[in-house]
Amino acid sequence: MKVRVVVADERDANFFDLEKPQAPLQARGSLHNDSARPDRELESDRPGRRFGVPAGSRHAVDGERSTQRHESELFARTVARTIDDARTRHEFDRLVLVAAPRMLGMIREALPAPCRTVVAAEIAKDFMQHDADVIRDAVPRDAFLH
């Protein structure tokens, strides 16, 4: 049984295959979100302020964050489409999704129904900076059961 492991965040997605619980991960490709912000340190904690016309009223400006969220959702749809294309080509039997909670939710929402039926596990953690052995060890053994 072949398990496809998808490790993603809002910037990148890596695709691996795993045939046995202790076998090495086999890289199957990756995607990069060119519109993602290159450095999280540039993000501010609070939205900017804008002064309105009526009596000097002020309003929060959240356009940058909503644009960034929209770009992340588009990237999640691209990841989901890539997964579904591989499923229709019978490249894997089961699917394990590994992503930070927000990104995991966006990918899950974007997956078509036939793809959702092959999801063996979801791991709500950001593993993008971890090596292949840590990722492999995070895949539950029951993902290989049919």
Side-chain angles (χ1 to χ4, degrees):
M1 171 167 305
K2 192 177 288 188
V3 175
R4 175 69 42 104
V5 180
V6 179
V7 181
D9 64 12
E10 294 178 8
R11 289 181 181 81
D12 296 294
N14 295 321
F15 303 88
F16 303 97
D17 282 346
L18 191 57
E19 297 202 24
K20 298 177 188 172
Q22 292 303 316
L25 287 174
Q26 300 169 351
R28 291 294 179 232
S30 63
L31 295 172
H32 180 70
N33 183 5
D34 290 327
S35 62
R37 212 173 250 244
D39 187 2
R40 291 181 191 223
E41 294 296 321
L42 295 176
E43 295 178 13
S44 66
D45 293 339
R46 296 176 50 197
R49 305 294 282 175
R50 179 176 62 128
F51 292 90
V53 178
S57 63
R58 295 181 289 178
H59 305 283
V61 178
D62 201 20
E64 187 174 333
R65 284 188 186 174
S66 62
T67 300
Q68 184 177 356
R69 172 123 178 132
H70 177 71
E71 294 296 332
S72 296
E73 289 170 352
L74 290 176
F75 184 61
R77 287 186 206 140
T78 301
V79 171
R81 218 174 13 257
T82 302
I83 294 167
D84 192 45
D85 290 346
R87 182 196 59 80
T88 59
R89 289 190 306 269
H90 305 287
E91 292 182 11
F92 62 91
D93 303 304
R94 307 280 287 167
L95 177 65
V96 174
L97 299 172
V98 183
R102 186 170 116 178
M103 187 62 175
L104 181 61
M106 287 188 281
I107 294 171
R108 181 189 310 121
E109 187 175 305
L111 279 176
C115 254
R116 292 180 192 163
T117 64
V118 298
V119 174
E122 295 179 351
I123 301 168
K125 292 185 179 181
D126 185 357
F127 272 50
M128 284 303 295
Q129 304 305 318
H130 289 78
D131 65 18
D133 289 338
V134 173
I135 295 167
R136 181 200 61 216
D137 292 344
V139 174
R141 290 190 184 276
D142 62 352
F144 295 90
L145 303 176
H146 210 349

